[in-house]
Amino acid sequence: EVIFQCTVVRRATAVNCPGTLLRVGRKHHPKQKQVITGDSSPPSKQLVFEQYIIPMSRLADMGDLKMKLQNVSGIPANRFRVCKKEDIVTGCGEGDNISTLTYTRV
């Protein structure tokens, strides 16, 4: 079994951040129920980071990982851009290791 640590980055909308974006510019009445639809607001400039830990079999492929991410995040699998995160450490300094994060599309 292989365990993947996945970070999903998406733009904030009224659907995935209802507590903050539905209140902007509107009077909020706590007893009044608001209906949230997929087109209720345009995406904001703010990003939402969600982390998931997903155990998979060693025989699983990228399609299986995307389907599991779709099930937990609600984002269609064909919308994902999967990248691999690498932390490259160089020994350029005296006693100090300098590290660089790189993201490579898979």
Side-chain angles (χ1 to χ4, degrees):
E1 189 166 278
V2 179
I3 297 176
F4 290 93
Q5 179 182 350
C6 301
T7 302
V8 175
V9 181
R10 65 168 104 190
R11 295 216 179 266
T13 65
V15 174
N16 59 21
C17 296
T20 55
L21 293 180
L22 284 178
R23 295 180 190 178
V24 176
R26 300 179 188 161
K27 291 183 179 178
H28 179 68
H29 301 287
K31 293 184 180 180
Q32 188 177 28
K33 195 170 191 174
Q34 296 178 347
V35 176
I36 300 172
T37 63
D39 299 330
S40 62
S41 75
S44 75
K45 294 181 181 178
Q46 300 298 317
L47 297 177
V48 176
F49 292 82
E50 301 169 343
Q51 284 199 332
Y52 300 99
I53 304 299
I54 301 177
M56 303 274 300
S57 121
R58 288 193 179 272
L59 299 175
D61 63 359
M62 189 60 65
D64 297 329
L65 179 61
K66 285 183 175 183
M67 290 306 293
K68 283 206 174 191
L69 278 172
Q70 174 180 310
N71 292 339
V72 296
S73 70
I75 300 171
N78 62 349
R79 301 283 313 266
F80 285 117
R81 295 181 190 152
V82 179
C83 298
K84 176 176 66 170
K85 176 180 155 184
E86 292 183 85
D87 191 7
I88 301 171
V89 179
T90 59
C92 295
E94 294 179 17
D96 294 333
N97 288 332
I98 300 171
S99 66
T100 305
L101 284 177
T102 60
Y103 295 90
T104 308
R105 192 167 179 176
V106 180

